[in-house]
């Protein structure tokens, strides 16, 4: 398997894109990004490509991680070059394709994008096909990417965050992708009733409310899943935010607080990008008492 460095080429030739589709490159790091509008994309696009409209480049939560190499595709090469330049200014390794999309010889796909250009949390991406489809709760949802991703994969999602502007962004993201998510503004810590219910799965990414951990377990249905990942103390020791102890798990703390659940997976340590986190995947036992 070869490694593609976006700095190697001013414009990415057609045969390079063909090799990526064959799996001859680091396909996990390279994203084919279609710059056209939704209607044109759905009418026909290169397989495995995702969409980021030219007018969406400035929207931070729509962009992928900066560790991804981006090949930009458009109806005109010069427009793709301009978009690549702007993305590089924003810190994303990006190059334009050397050909316009109408010149692509095939194969083609039609319909909506199968995966967004932005990326969900690692736990949501890995476990979405295992969790129940019904009554999925995304706590401290932020701009709604994980909630929308779960909805794209067929889940009935409720998402809660304390910030009204975050909820507005989440609702806009759901509308962009044509899915329905129930968004709520609520203070998870001071008003636990704002996420009251019986949940088939609860997802939490980069948020810590220690008093809420037991309540999450209690509100899971028998057989329900908990997907939880947030920062550990090593994060601050490395000089990375957050730095305040109340926002950082102690070593082994998350594992111990989930002692009443069936642990499916647990890890602590560095993630891609350098963050230090603890990640828990657990289920409430079927015979658990309500």
């Amino acid at each position: 398997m070869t490694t593609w460095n976006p700095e190697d080429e001013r414009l990415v030739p057609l045969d390079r894109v063909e090799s990526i589709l064959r799996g001859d490159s680091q396909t996990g790091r390279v994203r084919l990004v279609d710059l056209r509008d939704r209607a044109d994309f759905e009418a026909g696009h290169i397989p495995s490509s995702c969409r980021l409209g030219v007018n969406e480049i400035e929207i931070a939560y729509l962009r992928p991680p900066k560790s991804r190499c981006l090949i930009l595709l458009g109806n005109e090469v010069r427009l793709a070059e301009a978009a690549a330049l702007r993305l590089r200014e924003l810190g994303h390794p990006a190059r334009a394709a050397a050909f316009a999309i109408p010149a692509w010889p095939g194969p083609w796909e039609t319909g909506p994008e199968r995966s967004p250009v932005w990326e969900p949390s690692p736990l949501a991406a890995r476990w979405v096909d295992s969790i129940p489809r019904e009554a999925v709760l995304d706590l401290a949802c932020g701009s709604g990417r994980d909630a929308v991703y779960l909805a794209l994969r067929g889940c009935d999602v409720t998402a809660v965050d304390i910030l009204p502007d975050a909820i507005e962004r989440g609702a806009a993201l759901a509308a962009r992708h044509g899915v329905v998510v129930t968004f709520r503004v609520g203070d998870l810590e001071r008003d636990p009733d704002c996420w009251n219910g019986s949940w088939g799965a609860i997802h939490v990414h980069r948020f810590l409310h220690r008093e809420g951990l037991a309540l999450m377990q209690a509100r899971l249905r028998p057989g329900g899943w908990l997907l939880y990942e947030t920062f550990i103390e090593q994060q601050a020791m490395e000089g990375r935010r957050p730095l305040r102890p109340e926002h950082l798990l102690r070593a082994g703390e998350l594992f111990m607080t989930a002692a009443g659940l069936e642990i499916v997976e647990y890890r602590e340590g560095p993630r891609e990008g350098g963050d230090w986190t603890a990640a828990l995947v657990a289920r409430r036992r079927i015979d658990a008492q309500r």
Side-chain angles (χ1 to χ4, degrees), residues 2-284:
T2 59
T3 300
W4 176 66
N5 184 342
E7 300 300 326
D8 291 344
E9 297 159 323
R10 175 177 168 268
L11 294 172
V12 181
L14 187 146
D15 62 354
R16 172 71 72 181
V17 175
E18 291 175 326
S19 74
I20 290 169
L21 294 183
R22 290 194 303 267
D24 297 338
S25 185
Q26 291 181 316
T27 53
R29 293 188 65 244
V30 179
R31 307 296 304 276
L32 304 178
V33 180
D34 194 314
L35 298 168
R36 298 174 300 164
D37 62 27
R38 181 174 179 174
D40 287 344
F41 180 92
E42 294 184 355
H45 55 268
I46 296 175
S48 78
S49 61
C50 46
R51 187 176 71 84
L52 182 68
V54 171
N55 62 336
E56 297 176 326
I57 287 174
E58 302 298 327
I59 304 175
Y61 67 91
L62 291 182
R63 299 195 298 264
K66 293 179 179 179
S67 58
R68 303 295 179 251
C69 299
L70 309 180
I71 300 177
L72 305 188
L73 306 147
N75 282 331
E76 297 181 32
V77 174
R78 63 178 182 84
L79 294 179
E81 281 194 280
L85 175 60
R86 179 55 184 151
L87 281 166
R88 290 197 299 274
E89 291 172 347
L90 293 168
H92 297 266
R95 286 291 185 271
F99 61 94
I101 287 178
W104 174 249
W108 294 89
E109 285 184 350
T110 59
E113 54 195 319
R114 294 185 177 181
S115 61
V117 65
W118 48 267
E119 297 181 15
S121 76
L123 291 186
R126 182 172 178 183
W127 294 97
V128 63
D129 293 328
S130 299
I131 65 175
R133 306 288 95 187
E134 298 181 355
V136 176
L137 175 66
D138 186 26
L139 284 177
C141 66
S143 298
R145 288 185 295 189
D146 295 323
V148 170
Y149 177 81
L150 293 167
L152 283 167
R153 300 298 292 270
C155 296
D156 177 13
V157 185
T158 297
V160 184
D161 198 275
I162 194 172
L163 299 176
D165 57 340
I167 292 298
E168 290 177 6
R169 290 193 296 271
L173 187 65
R176 179 196 186 276
H177 287 281
V179 296
V180 175
V181 175
T182 300
F183 284 100
R184 300 178 185 169
V185 176
D187 187 331
L188 308 180
E189 300 181 16
R190 297 182 180 180
D191 180 21
D193 287 343
C194 74
W195 56 282
N196 191 21
S198 176
W199 304 102
I202 297 176
H203 172 266
V204 184
H205 183 60
R206 296 187 174 183
F207 173 77
L208 177 58
H209 175 43
R210 286 182 166 88
E211 292 76 10
L213 288 168
L215 191 55
M216 291 176 203
Q217 297 184 45
R219 290 180 178 178
L220 282 176
R221 297 174 178 176
W225 289 64
L226 176 62
L227 309 179
Y228 199 115
E229 181 170 14
T230 196
F231 302 105
I232 58 177
E233 289 177 324
Q234 187 67 31
Q235 179 82 355
M237 296 177 188
E238 298 291 329
R240 304 175 67 96
R241 295 178 182 277
L243 301 174
R244 296 169 61 181
E246 60 266 33
H247 297 153
L248 299 166
L249 288 163
R250 296 179 290 274
E253 180 181 2
L254 184 58
F255 185 89
M256 289 185 289
T257 59
L261 301 176
E262 176 188 351
I263 307 297
V264 177
E265 179 179 278
Y266 186 80
R267 59 161 292 280
E268 289 186 15
R271 275 287 189 189
E272 179 183 9
D275 285 327
W276 288 74
T277 68
L280 169 76
V281 180
R283 287 181 295 211
R284 187 172 185 184

